[in-house]
Amino acid sequence: MEMVFVASSDAKGECDASLRAGPPGFIRVLDARTLAYPEYRGNGVHASLGNIAENGHVGLLMVDFVQDMIGLHVNGAAQIVENTQFRGLYAAVPEDPTPGRRAERWVVVDVEEAYIHCRKHIPRMARITEKREWGTDDPGRKGGDYFGAKSTPSTAPRPRRRFPSTTHLGSGTSSRALR
C-alpha cells in the first residue's frame, strides 16, 4: 500500500482522521500481529501523534483504489517509537530510499482486529505520476493556508455531542446488530 487513513482519538474521545502515505510497502509488517508505519516531518500539527500519546487505540484503513478496489481495516494498540529506537529493534526494515524523506519516528501497532472492507462502493481511480519535492518546508508546496482560514479569529470550542453506538439501533430488547 502507498497510503493509509489513520483514525485516532484523544483521552476525551475527540476524533481525528489523517492520511499517511509513502512508497509502496511503507507500512511494514513486523510479525504476524504487529505492523508499523513511519512518521515523516509534515505540517507540524501532530494531531494523530498527540492522540496516540493520550489514547493508543487506532483504526487504520488501507484502500486499493487502482487495481483490486478492496480495503483492509486494522484496529489495534499503537505506540510511538523514535526512529533510533525502532532501528535498534527492527534493523532489517530498510530506510526509505527517497532523498530528503526520513522517518523521524514510527507508529507501531499491535493488531487486535483486521477485516476486509467491502469493495462494492470503492471507486476505481487511475494513477497519475507526478514529481514530489520531499523534504521541503515551503508552506506553498505543503498546502500552506489553502483554505484561507489562517486569519479567521479563534472561537471557544463548542461542546461535543455524543452519538449513539454505531453497532446497535435503539435500546433494550428491540436493539439489533447492524449488518
Side-chain angles (χ1 to χ4, degrees), residues 108-127:
V108 178
V109 180
D110 178 30
V111 177
E112 297 169 352
E113 174 181 51
Y115 54 95
I116 295 296
H117 183 87
C118 173
R119 67 174 51 183
K120 184 177 177 181
H121 297 291
I122 296 175
R124 180 177 296 277
M125 297 183 175
R127 175 174 309 288

Side-chain angles (χ1 to χ4, degrees), residues 1-97:
M1 293 303 305
E2 294 180 68
M3 66 179 166
V4 60
F5 298 96
V6 179
S8 62
S9 66
D10 65 16
K12 296 179 200 168
E14 302 295 328
C15 298
D16 180 73
S18 296
L19 173 70
R20 296 294 184 273
F26 85 103
I27 302 168
R28 308 305 297 197
V29 176
L30 302 177
D31 63 40
R33 298 195 57 88
T34 311
L35 57 84
Y37 63 87
E39 282 286 334
Y40 303 111
R41 188 174 66 211
N43 62 8
V45 174
H46 300 292
S48 297
L49 292 177
N51 286 347
I52 291 168
E54 290 184 18
N55 173 4
H57 190 73
V58 296
L60 308 176
L61 176 60
M62 294 162 261
V63 182
D64 178 350
F65 293 104
V66 177
Q67 186 173 341
D68 296 320
M69 280 95 55
I70 195 78
L72 176 65
H73 290 263
V74 174
N75 294 317
Q79 62 178 319
I80 302 164
V81 179
E82 293 300 317
N83 189 50
T84 53
Q85 182 185 4
F86 182 84
R87 293 277 158 221
L89 295 168
Y90 303 102
V93 174
E95 293 275 354
D96 188 329

